[in-house]
Amino acid sequence: CMEALASPNFDLQEFLAAARNRAPLVAVRDALQRTLAELNEELVARIQRDFNAFVALGSSLNEADNLSSGCIAPLTEFKSFLLDVQHEVTCDIARLEHSLEQRRELASRRR
């Protein structure tokens, strides 16, 4: 009988008429109150579950922030290392180009 409450075509008058034929209205009222209490319990449980998931998400985001903050120093150090290597390579290339230019000059003088 209580399943009819979930129907999209629920009609209160039909429900009461059918319920009145099966049981006294006091019994219907008591059954409706029990159903309401069960629905309220289910609603509270779902809200608590969703709230707990929301809180857990906040904790996860906080942990992600901490992880990303912990990566900044090593990445900055690595960037500095790469910039040093780039500078050294640039200096080596400049020395090589200078040496090649000197060789070209010597070779052109020999001809």
Side-chain angles (χ1 to χ4, degrees):
C1 184
M2 295 301 156
E3 297 83 31
L5 296 173
S7 171
N9 301 323
F10 177 74
D11 183 344
L12 179 60
Q13 297 301 324
E14 288 178 24
F15 175 79
L16 289 176
R20 195 176 298 160
N21 290 334
R22 291 187 195 134
L25 286 179
V26 173
V28 173
R29 182 197 65 204
D30 292 344
L32 286 171
Q33 286 176 339
R34 281 192 305 277
T35 302
L36 178 62
E38 291 170 6
L39 290 173
N40 282 334
E41 287 176 17
E42 184 178 342
L43 178 62
V44 168
R46 288 183 183 202
I47 289 171
Q48 287 175 339
R49 184 190 69 224
D50 291 347
F51 180 75
N52 290 338
F54 176 74
V55 169
L57 175 64
S59 298
S60 297
L61 291 175
N62 194 18
E63 290 171 10
D65 285 346
N66 292 340
L67 286 174
S68 65
S69 296
C71 292
I72 290 174
L75 288 174
T76 303
E77 184 179 324
F78 186 63
K79 179 182 178 183
S80 177
F81 171 76
L82 289 177
L83 290 173
D84 290 344
V85 169
Q86 181 184 23
H87 177 71
E88 289 176 19
V89 168
T90 302
C91 290
D92 288 345
I93 290 172
R95 281 194 295 272
L96 286 172
E97 287 176 347
H98 181 70
S99 294
L100 288 173
E101 183 60 34
Q102 286 178 339
R103 285 186 181 189
R104 279 192 282 267
E105 288 177 12
L106 286 174
S108 68
R109 287 184 195 162
R110 289 184 191 161
R111 291 184 197 165

